[in-house]
Structure formats: structure tokens, C-alpha cells
Amino acid sequence: MTEFYGYERPDGSVGVRNHLLVIAPIDCSFEPAKRIAAQVEGAVAVTQHHGCGLDEMVANTLVGVGRNPNVAGVLLVGLGCETLTSEILAEGIESTGKPVEVVVCQHEGGTLRAIERGVRILQRMAQEVAELRREPFPLSELILAVECGGSDATSGLAANPATGIAADMLIDEGGTVIISETQEMVGAQHLLARRAVSREVAEATYEMIERQERRMRAMGIDSRFMSKGNIEGGLTTIEEKSLGAIRKGGTRPIQGVLENSWRRLERPSRGGLWLQDGTGSDIPSMTHMVAAGAQIVAFTTGRGSTVGHAIAPVLKITGNPETYARMSDNMDIDASTILDGREPLRSVGERIFKAIIEVASGRKTKAEALGYRDFAVFTRSRIAEHLLGFC
Amino acid sequence: MGKAVQVDGRDNVATVTSDVSEGKVVEVLSPEGDILRLRALDDISFGHKIALTDLDQGEEVVKYGETIGIASRPIRAGSWVHTHNVESARVPTSSLRRERP
């Protein structure tokens, strides 16, 4: 039985990092939030850019990120007149039992007082969380998010299938995998639905992907079509194209579709492979899987993405030998050995699995070591969803 | 010698990882590391697929362990497999070509 070394939280969940998270519920208070985080060891500030109204999807996501076990303590830094208040978020996060504090600029009397109070609170948290020690936990405590960005012809051939082998290995040891980017599943819904654990899950899979097809059609995009470049590159059918992307989630049965909306942001309720109804943009896609509980991200790329994430280690895997050579400061795993016959897929998958355990146990990914702190929240237009008949 | 990768042990096609010319031997690496050698019956470009077995018309073309399409004519082992001999089971690629010149 493989184990990893993580930090146990008061609610029993296990973090792979010990971040202090400063959340500005709105971007109006992001400057003081960033300055507070900059003064305290191990702190990172995040915000969202969808306005100060109470967008429940945004609120659910920020609460989910605050609840993520990679976060040891939370400081909310609000402005004071927003409808999406610090208190709403604090209430959602507090039940994890981790420390949650609030500073509001208008109540404190300006930036300097808010920063001073915020830094004092966070300084104390930093001292306290530094006493936490890593302990061994079974892989059933681990949730892996899989993501791809900057894909090329090698992605579906090397990085994605190899990552899929690692995903299967994690699931076989009781772990959990989340795959999102609904638009990339279009064309393969019948194949995904066949892997569902029940008829209900199969129906939810169809519904999720077909909703996305309708959204894209409303934007004038027929998502069933492949580009001329896809066909010239060797992709024969839309099924093949979509399978190349979703293979990074592996081959195990699909346990369910995680709702990711203003109603709720669902977390996996047991181990296995889960689909999340999410965006195709890499950074918000990672954020929403992290909000659903993922502690680590396996990120496949062909042309070479550099992104990381504010609170989750992001492991970069490429199957393109030139990208690995030219962007070695961004790429963690070389999967291109498959292409010239030097190494079979199985063996590359095993390397990725081992790297996931090492990173979960504390080894920094290249993006982390370079200080990458990417973060973005996405939301859907309630108006558009209403007009499409989805709410 | 050309090289190709079989992504899943159930696949009846593999993807060539270098341009292959007709008549050349292609070495196919399975996910478990087994090697299959076969002769290419067509020129096949990097990223395109080669048939590992003979396929009848109407037979499923399997890659990633899943059906990526249906053979629209008989395909011999070693042949180039693409839109000229495979149709999507979902959206016929030929109809896409008609609709989107």
C-alpha cells in the first residue's frame, strides 16, 4: 500500500501543502490583501473579477478553495460595501475547523489599519501552522485534478495516455481523480456514458456534455466539427480527438458528474474518476477542481504551458521532446520517450504516479519553485443559462 | 525503420511517430513494451494511423481502447487509416467535408 505524507486538518481531510490563504471576496480589496500576504511567510492572496454582487457560483468556488485541505488558515480581506461579503465566505469555510478571520477595510478605517490588523492576524497563524507535521496517509486521501493546455499532436499520443495510466494507478489504490473541461468531451459523450457506474450517472454525463454543445452552438460554434488542422494532423473523427484529451483521466468507471454552478459546488463523495462540468480555460479550470477538493494537479502540455496554481502543486508533463528540452525549467516530466520507442507508456505512467506521490509529500514542482501563484474563478451568465433553458 | 505507438492494448490501429514511406517496416510499441513489426502499405505521415490488423468494412476502429469510428471500406494491416477509410460513428466526416469545404 503506497502512502504519502500530508497535513491532517481538523475536519479529517489531508493537505499536501500548508498555505495561508488571503481571500479578497472582490477585487476592490485585492491590493490590501496582496500587501498583507506579501508580509507573511507562506501566505498567498487571491481574488475574483466578477463584481461585488452575490454571484453564488463565485461564492461557492471561493468557499471551496478556502475549504481545500492545502489551506491551513484563511484571512478574508473585504472592502465593506460588497454584497458578496467576507462573512458569507467565512461562514462557508469555518465548519472545516481551520482558523478563519475577517478584516474589512471600511470598518478598520482605511488601507493602513486594515493591513496592520491583517498582518498581525496572519503572522500569528503562520507561527501556529508551522508546528504542523507531515504524517503518512493512504492514497484514498488524495484527489488529483487532471488538466491539459497548449496541446499538440504529441498530447493525445504520449502525455495524456501516460497521465491516464497514473490516474488509473491512483484510483486502484483508493484515490480520486477529477477531470473537467467539458468542451473537450464533446463527441465522446456516448463513450464516457458507457463507463458510468449507473444509468443516472450516464444520463448526467450526456446532459452535461450536451448542455455544453448547446452553449457553443449559441456562440456560433458547432463543436462536433474538427478543424482542417486537426484532420491534417492525423485526427480522423471527433471521437478520436475527444478521447485524446480525456484519456488523461484514465480508463476507470465514472462515479458521477460534479455540479459546478450557483446551486452548489460538489465534491467527490468517494474514490474513483469524477467528471466536473467546467471551463476549458486552464487556470479557472484548475481553480474549480481545487475548489472541489483536489490537492494536486497533473497538467499535460505539448507546446509548453508555464502555469501553476495558488494553492495546489501543478506537475507539468509533456510528450514533445523539443518542448521538454527548450522549456526544461517548466517541465517536470518527459513523456516523449514513448515517441522514439525508448520507453513504453506503462513505464512513463509509473514515473508520473511516483512523481505525484513525491509532490504530494512535499517535493516542489517546477512551477512552485518558480513561485507561480496563478488563480482565477469563472462563472456562467445566469441570463444565458436561463435563455438556453438550463435554469 | 518507422516507429509507431499503440496507446491501448485493445487498439487495432497505432499512431506513427515519424513519417513512414510505403514498403518500410514499422516497429509498433505496445503500452506494456511489446514490439510488433509490420510493413507499411502506404506513405503515412507523423501523427497519422496505421492498421495493425485487417479490418472488414463496418468493423470498429479502436484507439484508446474505444471505438473512434467505423471502417467505411476494407482496411488491410499496414494501411494508412484516416478519413478516406473511416467514418465517425457519430458525425460522418464526409458530411463535414461537404458542409465545410
Side-chain angles (χ1 to χ4, degrees):
Chain A
M1 183 83 156
T2 318
E3 288 177 325
F4 74 102
Y5 286 80
Y7 300 101
E8 185 169 14
R9 302 296 171 209
D11 63 354
S13 63
V14 179
V16 304
R17 294 294 181 268
N18 221 14
H19 293 299
L20 293 176
L21 186 64
V22 183
I23 306 177
I26 46 154
D27 39 16
C28 302
S29 51
F30 194 35
E31 274 302 324
K34 279 192 286 190
R35 290 172 199 201
I36 291 167
Q39 291 191 55
V40 181
E41 171 76 22
V44 55
V46 298
T47 191
Q48 56 88 19
H49 301 283
H50 301 287
C52 63
L54 181 52
D55 179 327
E56 281 100 344
M57 185 162 178
V58 170
N60 291 342
T61 308
L62 291 176
V63 166
V65 170
R67 295 181 68 91
N68 185 292
N70 287 357
V71 174
V74 179
L75 175 67
L76 292 142
V77 179
L79 179 62
C81 48
E82 62 273 20
T83 314
L84 174 52
T85 62
S86 298
E87 285 74 18
I88 291 171
L89 300 184
E91 203 174 295
I93 301 167
E94 267 162 3
S95 59
T96 57
K98 66 180 80 171
V100 181
E101 303 266 3
V102 174
V103 170
V104 177
C105 296
Q106 288 168 0
H107 302 172
E108 297 302 326
T111 302
L112 299 181
R113 288 193 184 92
I115 291 174
E116 186 190 345
R117 182 146 172 267
V119 171
R120 285 188 195 284
I121 292 169
L122 214 59
Q123 180 191 27
R124 198 182 60 240
M125 277 191 206
Q127 288 183 286
E128 286 163 7
V129 305
E131 287 186 50
L132 295 168
R133 290 287 170 265
R134 286 185 185 268
E135 295 170 276
F137 289 96
L139 294 186
S140 53
E141 295 295 338
L142 209 55
I143 305 179
L144 172 76
V146 291
E147 177 71 33
C148 58
S151 299
D152 69 9
T154 66
S155 302
L157 193 53
N160 288 350
T163 302
I165 287 171
D168 284 351
M169 291 174 74
L170 178 63
I171 288 170
D172 294 346
E173 293 224 31
T176 306
V177 175
I178 305 177
I179 183 167
S180 182
E181 301 181 282
T182 313
Q183 67 193 56
E184 300 199 343
M185 302 176 196
V186 168
Q189 49 263 60
H190 56 302
L191 302 170
L192 282 169
R194 225 160 49 188
R195 282 166 55 193
V197 292
S198 67
R199 191 194 298 172
E200 289 72 27
V201 172
E203 275 166 20
T205 303
Y206 270 115
E207 199 185 308
M208 173 184 89
I209 299 172
E210 275 157 20
R211 268 201 314 262
Q212 184 62 26
E213 279 191 284
R214 288 184 55 198
R215 287 187 194 109
M216 291 166 83
R217 251 200 321 275
M219 293 188 290
I221 304 164
D222 190 331
S223 50
R224 299 168 308 162
F225 287 97
M226 290 199 301
S227 70
K228 195 162 164 275
N230 284 155
I231 293 174
E232 281 171 4
L235 294 174
T236 303
T237 62
I238 184 72
E239 296 97 304
E240 182 184 10
K241 180 184 171 181
S242 299
L243 283 165
I246 60 186
R247 184 67 175 206
K248 61 186 179 289
T251 64
R252 296 297 178 251
I254 291 158
Q255 303 295 322
V257 172
L258 301 173
E259 190 166 345
N260 178 27
S261 75
W262 53 87
R263 282 184 293 268
R264 62 185 167 272
L265 189 140
E266 281 183 303
R267 294 172 48 95
S269 54
R270 59 179 176 276
L273 176 63
W274 294 78
L275 308 181
Q276 188 187 58
D277 187 9
T279 174
S281 296
D282 298 339
I283 294 168
S285 173
M286 289 192 288
T287 295
H288 285 244
M289 289 190 281
V290 165
Q295 302 111 312
I296 180 164
V297 182
F299 191 116
T300 60
T301 183
R303 300 170 68 176
S305 166
T306 65
V307 301
H309 194 267
I311 63 158
V314 178
L315 191 72
K316 290 282 169 35
I317 301 143
T318 187
N320 185 321
E322 278 174 40
T323 300
Y324 188 77
R326 293 181 55 236
M327 297 178 72
S328 61
D329 50 343
N330 301 109
M331 298 300 128
D332 293 283
I333 305 262
D334 179 13
S336 73
T337 48
I338 294 159
L339 301 182
D340 55 14
R342 268 184 294 153
E343 196 181 3
L345 262 171
R346 159 75 43 198
S347 155
V348 180
E350 284 166 359
R351 277 200 281 129
I352 296 170
F353 177 70
K354 192 164 161 273
I356 289 167
I357 312 296
E358 284 168 1
V359 166
S361 301
R363 182 186 163 85
K364 279 188 166 35
T365 65
K366 289 189 174 172
E368 278 184 299
L370 289 177
Y372 269 66
R373 296 293 205 183
D374 293 304
F375 188 88
V377 172
F378 97 101
T379 189
R380 297 194 195 282
S381 158
R382 286 285 287 272
I383 300 168
E385 297 288 298
H386 176 74
L387 292 174
L388 286 165
F390 301 158
C391 67
Chain B
M1 188 168 28
K3 301 252 186 208
V5 173
Q6 183 196 32
V7 182
D8 190 291
R10 293 165 288 185
D11 295 357
N12 54 23
V13 293
T15 306
V16 302
T17 54
S18 56
D19 289 344
V20 169
S21 33
E22 184 188 337
K24 283 276 183 295
V25 171
V26 178
E27 201 174 82
V28 183
L29 185 67
S30 86
E32 304 298 331
D34 300 321
I35 288 172
L36 170 80
R37 286 185 184 83
L38 77 170
R39 199 168 291 279
L41 300 183
D42 302 295
D43 290 344
I44 309 175
S45 312
F46 167 84
H48 286 242
K49 292 174 291 298
I50 183 168
L52 301 180
T53 58
D54 291 338
L55 293 166
D56 293 332
Q57 184 175 345
E59 204 169 323
E60 293 182 353
V61 179
V62 179
K63 182 179 171 187
Y64 300 111
E66 303 272 11
T67 306
I68 61 160
I70 307 294
S72 56
R73 62 185 67 175
I75 301 173
R76 287 175 59 205
S79 304
W80 175 39
V81 177
H82 202 29
T83 50
H84 62 289
N85 52 14
V86 178
E87 291 280 357
S88 166
R90 216 180 135 69
V91 193
T93 317
S94 56
S95 77
L96 303 188
R97 279 202 301 271
R98 277 200 298 278
E99 288 168 43
R100 291 234 170 146

